[in-house]
Amino acid sequence: EDRVSKNALFIWGGGEPIIDRSFEDLLESVLETHTGSQHRFLSNAVRYSETVSNLLREGRAQVVTSVDAGSESVFLDVRGRQGFFTVLDNLKKYAGANEHRVTIKYILTEANIADGELSSFVKSISEFDLLGCYFQISANFKTLVLNDQVTSAALRLFDLLVQAGARFVYVDDLLRIRFIKRASRSMDIFLGFESFARPVDYGPITVWGAGQIGRLLLEDEGFRARWKVKFLIDSTPNLQGKKIGGIEV
């Protein structure tokens, strides 16, 4: 009790921490002794907890769940059990308590990257009123090579979610790093999605960040041919006033 801060962040994992018989008692005990604590539940959402919902309402909890499918059959294939609609229903309850503290992950695998599956996932998310949640797109790099098919699937899922009305969509760090490596070869695969900016709709643009991604953009002939970059913006003092690729920071 005395070795952990009263305001500590507790992370609950193990697949579905809520199914443990001692979960509620243990959580209540922690809440009593660590009155300012925050709690992150890495849950598969096959069970629902009113205690967790109450913590969400109080702004003291986060729920992170991987759905990884757009249908019951693929959910069974990817997750090894049934319960696709049960998971979505439980997530809807948590989102009703505080949708901005619910993160829904989609981990790309060979079984769930088809266009139809991605569209079905976004449709289900919309039907269960979950578009106000946060969405994290990732990939199973233990079994999946990030080829152009996987890259396109990640971009398409991002595009579909944004078009459906989701405001908080991002890729995880591992996928972002692989995007950077892919972009170093060509930016073409990143173009042509409805929710992405189109050069025809804009005049001169500014690029935020003069780091690795910003430099890759300026080095890409296809990007420079489509976009007129006015200047770069970066918070690093020793870069300000300098030029990168002929563009002033």
Side-chain angles (χ1 to χ4, degrees):
E1 178 180 344
D2 296 331
R3 295 184 179 182
V4 179
S5 168
K6 301 291 185 183
N7 301 318
L9 168 64
F10 290 81
I11 300 176
W12 305 74
E16 182 49 83
I18 295 172
I19 64 174
D20 191 299
R21 293 181 180 180
S22 62
F23 170 76
E24 293 286 346
D25 291 338
L26 181 58
L27 178 56
E28 289 293 342
S29 176
V30 172
L31 293 173
E32 288 177 6
T33 56
H34 297 77
T35 52
S37 59
Q38 289 281 327
H39 300 266
R40 183 179 301 157
F41 300 96
L42 309 180
S43 166
N44 58 29
V46 296
R47 295 278 185 90
Y48 170 76
S49 168
E50 187 63 34
T51 304
V52 172
S53 275
N54 289 335
L55 288 173
L56 286 168
R57 292 187 187 95
E58 296 170 8
R60 295 184 61 190
Q62 294 175 296
V63 172
V64 181
T65 298
S66 291
V67 176
D68 308 338
S71 62
E72 185 73 76
S73 60
V74 172
F75 185 86
L76 174 61
D77 186 20
V78 173
R79 304 303 301 275
R81 64 183 301 166
Q82 294 180 333
F84 176 67
F85 295 107
T86 299
V87 168
L88 292 178
D89 190 54
N90 288 337
L91 287 173
K92 182 177 181 178
K93 295 175 184 175
Y94 288 140
N98 192 337
E99 61 185 2
H100 297 314
R101 284 183 164 263
V102 176
T103 297
I104 299 172
K105 297 174 62 176
Y106 196 103
I107 302 175
L108 298 165
T109 70
E110 292 182 355
N112 66 11
I113 61 174
D115 283 353
E117 195 65 22
L118 300 178
S119 296
S120 181
F121 168 75
V122 175
K123 180 181 178 182
S124 296
I125 288 297
S126 179
E127 290 175 347
F128 279 81
D129 298 321
L130 294 169
L131 288 170
C133 300
Y134 282 69
F135 294 90
Q136 177 182 313
I137 302 172
S138 186
N140 184 351
F141 296 114
K142 293 182 179 179
T143 60
L144 202 63
V145 176
L146 188 65
N147 53 29
D148 282 356
Q149 182 184 15
V150 178
T151 302
S152 294
L155 295 171
R156 176 158 173 73
L157 179 55
F158 184 101
D159 186 51
L160 288 170
L161 284 166
V162 173
Q163 286 192 68
R167 295 181 57 197
F168 310 104
V169 187
Y170 63 98
V171 298
D172 71 3
D173 288 342
L174 292 176
L175 193 55
R176 180 178 59 82
I177 291 170
R178 284 159 175 79
F179 276 177
I180 293 172
K181 291 180 179 179
R182 178 61 180 81
S184 67
R185 301 201 306 271
S186 172
M187 291 291 294
D188 288 348
I189 198 171
F190 297 91
L191 305 174
F193 292 94
E194 288 297 322
S195 64
F196 295 177
R198 300 184 304 167
V200 69
D201 297 329
Y202 295 87
I205 65 168
T206 58
V207 175
W208 288 77
Q212 186 176 9
I213 295 179
R215 292 169 186 268
L216 285 174
L217 287 173
L218 296 181
E219 291 170 1
D220 186 86
E221 294 181 359
F223 177 83
R224 294 293 293 271
R226 293 181 178 90
W227 298 92
K228 182 180 179 181
V229 181
K230 191 172 183 179
F231 52 82
L232 292 154
I233 297 177
D234 199 286
S235 61
T236 306
N238 61 5
L239 289 177
Q240 295 166 4
K242 294 185 177 180
K243 287 189 175 182
I244 297 176
I247 306 298
E248 185 177 0
V249 180

